[in-house]
Amino acid sequence: MIEDDLRAAFARREALTPPTGPVRAAIDRAVVRRRRRRLRLRVAGTALAVVAAALAGFTAIAPRPPETANLLATPSPTPTGALNVLLLGLDQAGGGRRADSVLLVHVPADRSRLYLVSLPRDLLVPIPGRGTDKLNASFTFGAGPAGKDLAAGYRATRQVVAELTGVRIDAGAVLTYQATRELTDAVGGVPVCLPAAVRSVHTQRRFPAGCQTLGGTAAVDLLRQRYGLRDGGLDRDRNAGRYAAGLLTRIREDGVLTNPVLLNRLVSQAGSGLVTDTGETSLLTLLSLAGKAATVDPVVVGLPVRYTEKEPFGFRLDPALAPGFLEALRTDRLGEWTAAHPKQVTALR
């Protein structure tokens, strides 16, 4: 009897029960939003790694120390002035590491384009506590005999570069060649145009003059070459700039940063992290600004130098051109300087 009364009571109130369809739909929408949010976080991390690699033409594979900045940090207030990002490419994985390539990425206040300024590794500079030595030695002194303290090596080089150029270094990263193969292959190869043929002293591979698309192994091979080139290390710096510009072009044309599938593949292939220094500005904000400036081809230019035949052997600042160049860099007028000195700009095609 009681059971029959209960059934009747539930039957009378069944019409008052809200339909389950909208509730189910709301739950499904919440699940989708959560999944999309997780995907956006994964994609954002990949995009930052790709852009950072593209800026330098090298890929980041250095082990991440505890103090490494969080790539997904909340965006900071957007800077309005020019920015300078220091990128160091290491030459080997063993002890006694040196900064084989030193690249200063200048982002002008108008965000019109990127300026990739190569600083010769053999440039003779004053190193605090070490006297005069080559620029790439500053990283070795900072990183220690085993070359393991990458953050300290970066800080030592950053100090030297800041004093040399007179500009504030807003951010930077330590990079190696190790993942260049994976990144290059993941984007389908990188276009590079060479003004003259290059033969590898390591593999005997021949890179013909003209435009070509390099796979990962070939790209690494080219980036290592300096012997046999007319201007030695300076030509290697120019080729590194050409590679960086080609990588930026490939990423921009292929819409890589908006392709979740490719981004996920890149993050799995191209790195175990970045050793970064973002200063007062988050990496997310810095790369957002750099991305705006990367919508057109970058300008690749080298710090004007001259080789000295006197000991210690190496490069010194060109007394005729370097003062004006550095002044233009400090006052954010590199566009005017490069337009007035087209021979100092590396041809990309």
Side-chain angles (χ1 to χ4, degrees):
M1 188 67 167
I2 295 176
E3 182 177 348
D4 291 340
D5 291 341
L6 289 175
R7 289 179 181 276
F10 277 116
R12 287 194 299 271
R13 288 169 172 76
E14 186 174 2
L16 303 177
T17 304
T20 60
V23 176
R24 180 71 255 178
I27 293 174
D28 290 342
R29 285 195 299 271
V31 170
V32 170
R33 283 197 300 270
R34 181 172 297 179
R35 287 176 177 171
R36 285 178 177 173
R37 180 175 180 273
R38 286 199 297 265
L39 178 60
R40 283 198 300 269
L41 290 177
R42 291 196 299 269
V43 169
T46 310
L48 295 175
V50 172
V51 173
L55 290 178
F58 304 102
T59 48
I61 198 68
R64 181 174 300 185
E67 68 269 27
T68 297
N70 180 5
L71 292 180
L72 298 180
T74 302
S76 57
T78 302
T80 56
L83 296 171
N84 296 287
V85 180
L86 179 64
L87 300 167
L88 307 179
L90 303 188
D91 61 349
Q92 61 185 40
R97 286 174 165 175
R98 290 175 177 253
D100 209 33
S101 296
V102 182
L103 190 71
L104 186 66
V105 181
H106 178 76
V107 186
D110 63 7
R111 317 300 182 219
S112 56
R113 67 195 322 150
L114 295 176
Y115 292 86
L116 310 182
V117 181
S118 60
L119 309 178
R121 70 171 197 169
D122 293 334
L123 179 65
L124 297 171
V125 295
I127 299 177
R130 298 285 181 171
T132 297
D133 208 326
K134 295 180 179 180
L135 176 59
N136 66 346
S138 60
F139 187 91
T140 304
F141 296 144
K148 294 182 178 180
D149 195 341
L150 304 184
Y154 165 78
R155 288 193 296 269
T157 307
R158 179 187 63 190
Q159 179 182 356
V160 171
V161 171
E163 293 178 355
L164 170 70
T165 61
V167 301
R168 183 184 67 182
I169 307 300
D170 298 282
V174 177
L175 316 155
T176 77
Y177 290 128
Q178 184 176 344
T180 300
R181 287 183 294 272
E182 288 80 0
L183 177 62
T184 304
D185 290 336
V187 298
V190 171
V192 175
C193 297
L194 300 176
V198 176
R199 181 175 291 280
S200 169
V201 298
H202 303 101
T203 66
Q204 300 306 308
R205 182 194 308 270
R206 184 179 183 277
F207 301 90
C211 297
Q212 55 213 280
T213 298
L214 302 180
T217 301
V220 171
D221 200 3
L222 176 66
L223 292 172
R224 297 178 64 199
Q225 302 309 311
R226 64 187 177 100
Y227 294 110
L229 303 184
R230 186 187 65 177
D231 290 335
L234 296 182
D235 275 339
R236 178 175 60 182
D237 289 343
R238 295 180 184 116
N239 288 337
R242 293 182 177 104
Y243 173 87
L247 182 58
L248 280 168
T249 298
R250 179 69 79 193
I251 289 176
R252 182 178 72 241
E253 291 178 346
D254 292 351
V256 170
L257 298 182
T258 60
N259 187 326
V261 175
L262 183 53
L263 286 174
N264 281 325
R265 183 170 57 146
L266 287 175
V267 78
S268 66
Q269 294 181 354
S272 59
L274 284 168
V275 176
T276 60
D277 166 35
T278 61
E280 299 177 356
T281 306
S282 73
L283 187 58
L284 191 61
T285 298
L286 287 170
L287 293 178
S288 174
L289 296 175
K292 295 177 182 177
T295 56
V296 297
D297 287 341
V299 173
V300 180
V301 60
L303 176 67
V305 295
R306 288 185 179 180
Y307 189 78
T308 177
E309 299 290 346
K310 299 179 180 179
E311 292 189 11
F313 300 112
F315 291 101
R316 296 186 184 275
L317 294 178
D318 186 325
L321 294 175
F325 177 87
L326 292 174
E327 177 65 18
L329 177 62
R330 298 182 192 114
T331 58
D332 196 20
R333 293 186 295 105
L334 277 185
E336 297 176 20
W337 192 93
T338 52
H341 301 84
K343 292 183 178 180
Q344 303 299 316
V345 176
T346 299
L348 299 181
R349 292 179 178 81

